[in-house]
Amino acid sequence: DTGVSQDPRHKITKRGQNVTFRCDPISEHNRLYWYRQTLGQGPEFLTYFQNEAQLEKSRLLSDRFSAERPKGSFSTLEIQRTEQGDSAMYLCASSSGGRGRNEKLFFGSGTQLSVL
Amino acid sequence: AQRVTQPEKLLSVFKGAPVELKCNYSYSGSPELFWYVQYSRQRLQLLLRHISRESIKGFTADLNKGETSFHLKKPFAQEEDSAMYYCALSAFYTGGFKTIFGAGTRLFVKA
């Protein structure tokens, strides 16, 4: 499967613990997005990378959230001191960016986080 | 503010009936709009984008700038169309552009 892959698929953690998720985009894609989705809502934009540069971070993202994309390849999203409100599906998407705003996003299967 | 609104959480139609999923947007510039779909146990995927003026799986969507709408339509719904549908907008911001999504509409096509 050469699509976007995310790991793990599911994560259960206790409140206050740190968690890290990984996203491997399609290899030639230079743009990478993180979204968060809760029940009954659409994907909410969290942050976005163009190669290794993090170009925007949503106000939804508190200081407990950090994302990296070293060398412009895979990306990690870390949540420190998790809270129950962090429970959600975390989606990663990538695109080649070749068509500008008409880019097609390719999504991963997501990581379902449950904070107990 | 940039916003995508899908007023219906759930739309239920009979097989063979026409279907229209509503989408309204708020954006000060020239909009680039999309419909994404998520079938059961599958990933979110692009269905169509307005720039392509295409028909995918019998679905079409027309941009109406006057009404700021981008409704998705199909003349004869099929059971396999049952899925979550998300309208999306690609919006400029100071760092470039990003795609934002509506809350989604679940389409249920009854036999």
Side-chain angles (χ1 to χ4, degrees):
Chain A
D1 187 352
T2 57
V4 178
S5 63
Q6 292 187 245
D7 184 69
R9 293 292 301 274
H10 304 276
K11 180 69 177 179
I12 300 173
T13 191
K14 291 183 180 178
R15 190 174 52 186
Q17 298 294 305
N18 299 344
V19 294
T20 300
F21 310 140
R22 177 178 170 126
C23 171
D24 286 90
I26 293 172
S27 59
E28 64 269 24
H29 284 183
N30 55 18
R31 292 167 61 90
L32 186 148
Y33 291 81
W34 284 99
Y35 287 89
R36 179 172 65 191
Q37 188 173 23
T38 53
L39 201 61
Q41 299 298 318
E44 293 177 288
F45 173 83
L46 292 180
T47 191
Y48 144 66
F49 291 85
Q50 174 89 29
N51 298 312
E52 66 274 12
Q54 186 174 17
L55 297 186
E56 186 177 349
K57 193 174 170 181
S58 166
R59 287 175 220 170
L60 292 174
L61 234 54
S62 74
D63 291 342
R64 297 183 295 105
F65 288 70
S66 62
E68 294 182 342
R69 192 182 181 198
K71 303 177 183 178
S73 55
F74 70 92
S75 176
T76 57
L77 178 68
E78 181 183 16
I79 309 174
Q80 296 182 327
R81 305 182 303 283
T82 53
E83 301 173 355
Q84 287 185 326
D86 298 332
S87 296
M89 174 72 82
Y90 289 84
L91 294 169
C92 177
S94 71
S95 81
S96 63
R99 300 185 69 170
R101 287 169 64 209
N102 290 304
E103 64 176 356
K104 173 181 178 178
L105 297 184
F106 292 80
F107 280 85
S109 297
T111 294
Q112 181 67 54
L113 173 66
S114 297
V115 182
L116 305 178
Chain B
Q2 304 152 351
R3 189 170 55 248
V4 178
T5 304
Q6 294 180 252
E8 302 144 328
K9 287 278 190 187
L10 172 67
L11 185 62
S12 182
V13 301
F14 283 101
K15 176 183 172 182
V19 62
E20 180 180 67
L21 290 89
K22 292 183 168 48
C23 171
N24 289 89
Y25 66 91
S26 173
Y27 184 61
S28 58
S30 179
E32 298 294 347
L33 290 152
F34 311 81
W35 278 97
Y36 280 78
V37 61
Q38 188 166 27
Y39 300 103
S40 179
R41 290 185 289 277
Q42 293 188 26
R43 303 176 184 200
L44 192 57
Q45 59 187 289
L46 178 69
L47 179 63
L48 57 80
R49 44 192 151 192
H50 99 268
I51 194 72
S52 303
R53 300 185 185 280
E54 57 204 344
S55 172
I56 303 293
K57 298 185 179 182
F59 284 98
T60 58
D62 291 319
L63 174 62
N64 185 322
K65 291 187 179 180
E67 296 182 357
T68 61
S69 69
F70 188 58
H71 303 327
L72 183 68
K73 300 177 183 178
K74 184 170 183 177
F76 307 105
Q78 302 300 313
E79 289 180 75
E80 56 265 29
D81 297 327
S82 295
M84 279 295 298
Y85 291 81
Y86 297 94
C87 184
L89 165 73
S90 181
F92 278 117
Y93 66 100
T94 52
F97 55 90
K98 64 184 178 185
T99 301
I100 59 175
F101 289 82
T105 298
R106 179 169 295 283
L107 174 64
F108 181 58
V109 181
K110 298 175 283 189

